[in-house]
Amino acid sequence: MSQKQIDRRTLLLGAATLTAGGFLCNSAQAEDVAKLQTLKAGKPRLSPIDLQLSGPDGNTGSLTAQRGKPFLLHVWATWCGPCKRELPQLDAFYAKLESPAIIPVAVDSGAPEKVDAFLKKAGLSHLPAWTIDKHKFKEWLGTPQFAIPVTFLIDAKGLVRTTSEGGIDWAAPDAMAQYQAILASAGN
C-alpha cells in the first residue's frame, strides 16, 4: 500500500465523517425546538425580576412594570443561529396576540437601533426591539454563562417559575392553547 492510497482513504473517510457529523448536527438543531407546554409552572425561584429594557429612540421599559400578570421573557441575540431560525415563528405568533404577554429582548446585540435594523432587515415587523444589559442579566440569573435562546415563565409576582433553553415551536398547531394554559398556570 502506498502513502497516496492511505492519504486518499483518510481523506475520503474524513469527508464522510464530516458529512455525517453535519447531518447529525442539523438533526440535533431541528430537534432542539421545544413545545410551549414545556414551560409548566414550577416553584418560584430567583429574586423578582427587576431589569431595565432599552428600545430605539431612547425608549425605556422595566420588567417591574409587568408585576400583577404573568408573562414570558424570551431572550435572544442577533448573532445567534438558533435565534434567527426561531424569530420568524415568534414574530408570526406575536402578531396573533391582542395583548402580548411575551417580552422578547435581545442581549449582547448592540444598541437598540442596531437590533431594530436587524428585525426590519429580516422582515420581522411585529417584535419590539427591546435590549437588555448582559451583565445585569447575568447578575440577576446568578451565573456567568447562559444559553440562548431562552424563555422564562415569570409569574405575577415577578418570580421565575420555569425556564426553557433552546428554541420554542411557536408554529405548533396548539401553540396558542399552550400559551394560554401556561400563563394561567403562573397567574398566582
Side-chain angles (χ1 to χ4, degrees):
M1 219 179 276
S2 74
Q3 184 66 29
K4 287 183 182 179
Q5 288 175 326
I6 293 171
D7 288 342
R8 184 183 292 170
R9 276 192 207 141
T10 302
L11 178 65
L12 291 174
L13 182 59
T17 302
L18 286 174
T19 302
F23 175 77
L24 291 174
C25 182
N26 288 336
S27 297
Q29 287 175 349
E31 294 174 7
D32 197 24
V33 177
K35 295 251 183 204
L36 271 165
Q37 65 194 9
T38 61
L39 286 165
K40 297 234 188 263
K43 292 183 179 182
R45 56 189 174 90
L46 296 175
S47 60
I49 192 161
D50 181 22
L51 296 169
Q52 297 298 311
L53 305 176
S54 299
D57 302 322
N59 293 328
T60 60
S62 172
L63 292 177
T64 305
Q66 298 299 315
R67 299 266 167 85
K69 57 188 176 211
F71 66 96
L72 299 178
L73 177 66
H74 183 74
V75 183
W76 63 280
T78 57
W79 47 264
C80 165
C83 300
K84 289 177 185 179
R85 287 188 293 278
E86 178 188 28
L87 285 173
Q89 283 187 3
L90 178 57
D91 186 67
F93 186 81
Y94 198 90
K96 296 176 189 174
L97 302 173
E98 288 181 31
S99 180
I102 302 172
I103 301 175
V105 296
V107 66
D108 199 22
S109 296
E113 289 76 17
K114 181 179 175 187
V115 172
D116 190 45
F118 168 85
L119 291 171
K120 285 178 181 171
K121 183 177 179 183
L124 305 172
S125 60
H126 300 99
L127 297 176
W130 289 117
T131 63
I132 197 166
D133 181 89
K134 174 177 78 170
H135 302 292
K136 290 181 181 176
F137 184 67
K138 284 181 179 182
E139 184 179 304
W140 171 72
L141 276 179
T143 182
Q145 301 288 348
F146 59 93
I148 54 172
V150 61
T151 305
F152 298 90
L153 173 59
I154 311 290
D155 70 13
K157 296 176 184 173
L159 300 169
V160 172
R161 297 293 294 271
T162 193
T163 304
S164 180
E165 291 183 357
I168 299 281
D169 185 5
W170 301 100
D174 60 342
M176 189 61 70
Q178 291 177 38
Y179 168 79
Q180 293 167 344
I182 62 170
L183 289 176
S185 73
N188 298 326

